[in-house]
């Protein structure tokens, strides 16, 4: 994690240069064609034809056809480019006319702009605008890839051995461990990425220059007892190895300097790998990912150049692979989707192993790096690297109120659905508000990055991932139509293997963080039409909701007139409310053609989970 709000605001001025794509065989991309703007209720819906090779697209807006056209900033604090159409401009003021252009996005940034098209948002009517969700229960089911639960982020693992009182008098080590168990059991998380493998409490350098990993042993023993796998982030630099032992970040003074002697960095990575194998087994460690550093493209995290990072990466990967070539190693673990192409080009040019590329983004759905990884595989004849977004979230800013909000819940679902076809992993940052980077939590709801509060209450973002994990069986088509379809309102649907249930998950959200508190003009009424059912069959309907009035633990706290931290009685009430209730709706009967229909409210922001079970 980073001191993000300041560093990312100026991410384009980062050290080093992006790839120009030439070594990977990716040339200059044309502007998108076929741009259209549909006037929607509370938004303008933009669509265009995807451009082969594009990582994403940057939407521009102006008050006139002559411009000037400026990128639309939906206030997420990171990369503004979106991975694909459609895009809903909810910043548009109803009744006011605008003009739009779209540029393709590559590793060098925005390309040429498309032709301009006009658009205008409509004001709200007397009733919510309507959308439809068409689910085909008879279609062949496909696998629903678990990009959301392969990995999750967490504060440094040494919190598992923390022995001092934490925020609000909490037991840090216990709550941190309990949080990992909750995301494991309720979301299905399989691995955890945390900073600081080489922090002073985990690794020390002896007088003779050898390394003492006993502190790491105590931490990993406790972590591995959870049944989860670690992502071994090769960071940060031990003081005895650093070229500048005073170059630190965070309240816990993580040392983020280049090494004084590069061979010593290699020794550290090699000996760590050997030690982990000896303690936990060669085959076990071979199943872990090793990631080189964290966000070296931000000066706050690295006092070297881009070339220095490439050297850091090469020394590390050759050291680890020299012990066991089966271990997957990758990087650049960069902020704001930077340096990915440059690392691939370096690895291509210098024949350096790279099993996965990793990067981060916030406030947006992740870009599509498949054009680069596929081009790398074609150019080198090697397997295509996996794409791991090892940090992702609703905001890069510490203590931002959006992190506790309902707004963040449909945001999570939008990002995860987008990632299903373009990535191997989208890891939410982080599991728990037991987190100390810029200081411990000052109050229960303080805008922490965690899915879980101090005390492990479930925030709306947690329930979004939980509902994804509740989808049963294989994925079936769920086509959304109507006002805001595909950009505000989206859906996923599954059918149980034996056909006994059909699950429909639908949500209504926007990237526009000026709407953190919701916007009535964006509320929708959703008609769900399920075809392919047994004619005449009666289905019970279970519903779960996440919105301002459902599964919103912060609203419960406000109703209790809470201060900074709950007293015992308030804790009891909060824990009693920490649930996602199941509501039973009226049964539906499939007609003679095997179609069942029901209509539900879908506020913005909001989520609905529907389960139709054959009676």
């Amino acid at each position: 994690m980073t001191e993000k709000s300041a560093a990312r605001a100026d991410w384009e001025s980062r050290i080093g240069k992006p790839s120009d794509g030439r070594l990977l065989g990716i040339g200059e991309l044309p502007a998108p064609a076929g741009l259209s703007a549909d006037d929607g209720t509370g938004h303008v819906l933009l669509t265009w034809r995807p451009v082969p090779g594009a990582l994403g697209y940057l939407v521009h807006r102006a008050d006139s056809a002559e411009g000037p056209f400026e990128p639309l900033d939906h206030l997420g604090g990171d990369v503004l480019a979106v991975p694909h159409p459609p895009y809903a401009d909810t910043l548009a003021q109803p009744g006011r006319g605008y003009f739009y252009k779209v540029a393709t996005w590559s590793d060098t940034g925005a390309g040429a702009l498309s032709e301009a098209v006009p658009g205008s948002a409509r004001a709200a009517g007397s009733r919510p605008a309507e959308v439809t969700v068409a689910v085909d229960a008879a279609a062949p089911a496909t696998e629903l890839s678990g990009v959301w639960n392969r990995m999750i982020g967490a504060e440094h693992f040494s919190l598992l051995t923390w022995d001092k009182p934490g925020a609000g008098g909490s037991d840090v080590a216990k709550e941190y461990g309990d949080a990992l168990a909750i995301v494991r059991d309720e979301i299905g998380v399989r691995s955890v990425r945390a900073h600081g493998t080489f922090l002073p409490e985990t690794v020390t350098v002896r007088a003779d220059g050898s390394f003492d990993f006993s502190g790491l042993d105590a931490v990993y023993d406790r972590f591995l007892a959870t049944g989860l796998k670690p992502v071994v982030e090769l960071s940060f630099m031990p003081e005895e190895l650093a070229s500048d032992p005073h170059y630190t970040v965070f309240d816990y003074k993580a040392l983020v300097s280049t090494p004084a002697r590069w061979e010593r960095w290699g020794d550290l990575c090699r000996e760590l790998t050997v030690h982990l194998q000896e303690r936990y087994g060669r085959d076990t460690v071979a199943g872990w990912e090793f990631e080189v550093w964290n966000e070296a493209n931000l000066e706050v995290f690295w006092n070297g150049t881009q070339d220095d990072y490439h050297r850091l990466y090469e020394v590390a990967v050759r050291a680890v692979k020299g012990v066991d070539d089966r271990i997957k190693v990758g990087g650049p673990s960069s902020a704001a989707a930077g340096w990915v192409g440059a690392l691939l080009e370096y690895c291509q040019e210098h024949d350096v192993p790279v099993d996965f590329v990793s990067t981060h983004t916030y406030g947006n759905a992740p870009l599509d790096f498949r054009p680069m990884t596929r081009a790398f595989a074609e150019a080198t004849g090697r397997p295509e690297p996996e794409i791991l977004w090892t940090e992702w979230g609703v905001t890069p800013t510490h203590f931002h109120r959006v992190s506790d909000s309902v707004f963040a819940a449909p945001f999570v679902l939008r990002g995860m659905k987008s990632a299903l076809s373009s990535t191997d992993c989208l890891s939410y940052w982080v599991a728990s508000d037991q987190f100390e980077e810029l200081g411990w939590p000052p109050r229960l709801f303080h805008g922490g990055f965690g899915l879980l509060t101090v005390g492990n209450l479930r925030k709306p973002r947690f329930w979004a991932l939980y509902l994804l994990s509740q989808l049963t069986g294989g994925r079936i088509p769920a086509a959304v139509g109507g006002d805001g379809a595909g950009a505000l309102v989206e859906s996923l649907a599954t059918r149980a293997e034996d056909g006994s249930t059909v699950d429909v998950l639908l949500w209504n959200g926007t990237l526009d963080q000026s709407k953190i508190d919701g916007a009535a003009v964006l509320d929708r009424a959703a008609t769900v039409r399920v075809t392919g059912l047994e004619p005449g069959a009666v289905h019970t309907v279970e519903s779960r909701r996440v919105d301002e009035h459902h599964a919103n633990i912060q609203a419960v706290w406000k109703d209790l007139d809470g201060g900074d931290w709950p007293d015992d009685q308030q804790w009891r009430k909060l824990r009693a409310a920490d649930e996602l209730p199941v509501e039973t709706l009226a049964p539906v009967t499939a007609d003679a053609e095997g179609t069942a229909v029901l209509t539900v409210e879908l506020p913005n922001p909001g989520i609905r989970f529907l389960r139709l079970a054959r009676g």
Side-chain angles (χ1 to χ4, degrees):
M1 206 57 190
T2 67
E3 292 175 337
K4 294 179 184 292
S5 55
R8 291 177 189 273
D10 194 29
W11 70 273
E12 292 188 45
S13 66
R14 63 192 185 269
I15 304 170
K17 297 181 180 180
S19 157
D20 61 12
R22 286 179 293 182
L23 275 178
L24 297 175
I26 301 173
E28 186 174 346
L29 300 175
L35 177 63
S36 65
D38 294 329
D39 297 349
T41 305
H43 75 288
V44 177
L45 186 70
L46 302 170
T47 59
W48 57 89
R49 290 197 291 273
V51 176
L55 307 185
Y57 306 88
L58 189 61
V59 177
H60 294 67
R61 192 179 76 182
D63 292 330
S64 71
E66 292 74 32
F69 285 84
E70 298 292 341
L72 269 176
D73 185 352
H74 37 254
L75 310 178
D78 212 318
V79 179
L80 299 182
V82 296
H84 52 71
Y87 177 89
D89 175 18
T90 60
L91 289 160
Q93 298 178 20
R96 179 177 172 182
Y98 301 93
F99 289 83
Y100 297 89
K101 293 184 177 184
V102 177
T104 48
W105 185 269
S106 70
D107 203 42
T108 57
L113 288 165
S114 68
E115 295 296 319
V117 297
S120 177
R122 296 193 297 266
S126 58
R127 295 186 300 176
E130 297 180 353
V131 294
T132 60
V133 182
V135 178
D136 185 355
T142 59
E143 181 183 3
L144 181 60
S145 171
V147 296
W148 67 87
N149 60 15
R150 174 170 169 174
M151 183 189 304
I152 203 165
E155 183 62 292
H156 52 87
F157 287 145
S158 54
L159 289 192
L160 285 166
T161 59
W162 194 267
D163 58 2
K164 297 183 287 292
S170 61
D171 183 334
V172 174
K174 183 181 186 305
E175 287 194 5
Y176 183 94
D178 289 347
L180 296 182
I182 289 170
V183 297
R184 177 199 64 205
D185 295 341
E186 299 185 26
I187 299 176
V189 168
R190 290 167 281 163
S191 63
V192 183
R193 173 184 179 265
H195 298 326
T197 302
F198 301 138
L199 288 175
E201 62 265 31
T202 51
V203 177
T204 57
V205 182
R206 300 186 182 98
D208 64 0
S210 63
F211 302 105
D212 179 356
F213 296 107
S214 57
L216 188 66
D217 294 343
V219 170
Y220 265 41
D221 286 353
R222 292 195 183 187
F223 173 78
L224 291 170
T226 66
L228 294 162
K229 296 194 300 183
V231 176
V232 183
E233 184 189 284
L234 298 175
S235 72
F236 296 102
M237 196 65 63
E239 180 179 356
E240 294 82 357
L241 273 60
S243 63
D244 183 351
H246 303 291
Y247 199 87
T248 64
V249 66
F250 299 147
D251 279 21
Y252 57 86
K253 303 298 181 184
L255 216 163
V256 290
S257 167
T258 55
R261 294 165 52 200
W262 289 93
E263 67 273 14
R264 292 291 288 145
W265 168 249
D267 292 341
L268 176 62
C269 296
R270 182 182 307 104
E271 292 191 30
L272 169 73
T273 308
V274 170
H275 179 83
L276 292 174
Q277 288 184 333
E278 291 175 346
R279 189 169 183 87
Y280 303 113
R282 287 179 56 85
D283 291 343
T284 296
V285 176
W288 301 348
E289 287 100 359
F290 283 52
E291 186 180 34
V292 182
W293 212 252
N294 178 73
E295 299 191 349
N297 60 328
L298 296 182
E299 291 185 35
V300 70
F301 265 120
W302 181 239
N303 70 346
T305 64
Q306 187 179 56
D307 289 341
D308 289 332
Y309 174 75
H310 289 158
R311 188 176 182 184
L312 184 88
Y313 177 85
E314 181 174 1
V315 171
V317 70
R318 294 199 188 282
V320 173
K321 293 280 191 181
V323 176
D324 191 339
D325 190 55
R326 296 177 298 169
I327 296 174
K328 293 182 178 181
V329 186
S333 187
S334 52
W339 287 15
V340 173
L343 178 64
L344 288 172
E345 290 184 347
Y346 180 86
C347 292
Q348 175 182 337
E349 189 172 8
H350 298 276
D351 194 26
V352 176
V354 56
D355 298 304
F356 62 85
V357 292
S358 62
T359 188
H360 309 153
T361 195
Y362 287 83
N364 206 341
L367 297 174
D368 184 354
F369 276 102
R370 290 176 299 172
M372 283 191 165
T373 56
R374 290 172 178 171
F376 174 83
E378 292 173 2
T380 62
R382 303 188 216 169
E384 181 180 349
E386 287 191 297
I387 301 170
L388 308 183
W389 292 84
T390 53
E391 284 187 30
W392 178 73
V394 69
T395 180
T397 305
H398 290 75
F399 311 127
H400 194 306
R401 70 187 187 95
V402 73
S403 292
D404 297 329
S405 70
V406 176
F407 175 99
F411 168 89
V412 165
L413 294 181
R414 175 175 175 81
M416 292 298 176
K417 183 184 180 185
S418 177
L420 287 173
S421 62
S422 64
T423 73
D424 298 287
C425 168
L426 186 56
S427 174
Y428 203 89
W429 186 265
V430 289
S432 169
D433 275 352
Q434 291 291 359
F435 195 86
E436 66 158 328
E437 284 186 352
L438 298 187
W440 292 102
R443 62 191 67 87
L444 180 62
F445 291 102
H446 62 282
F449 290 119
L451 298 170
L452 300 161
T453 69
V454 171
N456 287 332
L457 302 171
R458 294 154 181 81
K459 300 183 189 180
R461 285 176 291 134
F462 176 92
W463 293 122
L465 293 175
Y466 173 82
L467 289 173
L468 273 174
S469 74
Q470 295 302 297
L471 290 169
T472 300
R475 183 178 177 183
I476 54 177
V480 182
D483 196 333
L488 295 176
V489 178
E490 298 178 89
S491 183
L492 286 169
T494 58
R495 183 188 64 237
E497 187 174 349
D498 62 1
S500 60
T501 61
V502 173
D503 292 341
V504 183
L505 180 60
L506 58 156
W507 59 92
N508 182 5
T510 173
L511 297 176
D512 169 15
Q513 293 196 15
S514 71
K515 307 295 189 299
I516 289 175
D517 297 317
V521 70
L522 300 178
D523 291 349
R524 296 294 183 262
T527 298
V528 180
R529 182 180 300 272
V530 184
T531 60
L533 301 173
E534 179 185 344
V538 177
H539 292 75
T540 61
V541 181
E542 292 182 350
S543 170
R544 300 183 186 186
R545 288 190 271 181
V546 181
D547 55 41
E548 186 63 28
H549 304 291
H550 301 86
N552 180 10
I553 196 66
Q554 186 180 33
V556 176
W557 180 234
K558 289 179 180 177
D559 288 343
L560 294 174
D561 295 322
D564 288 345
W565 296 103
D567 58 28
D568 290 345
Q569 183 180 15
Q570 289 170 327
W571 271 120
R572 286 193 293 272
K573 291 180 178 179
L574 287 167
R575 296 198 189 286
D578 185 26
E579 60 179 358
L580 183 60
V582 176
E583 305 170 67
T584 301
L585 305 186
V588 293
T589 302
D591 63 16
E593 297 180 348
T595 300
V597 180
L598 65 159
T599 299
V600 295
E601 299 172 351
L602 193 60
N604 185 301
I607 300 172
R608 275 274 192 167
F609 180 95
L610 301 170
R611 172 163 289 169
L612 281 66
R614 192 171 56 211

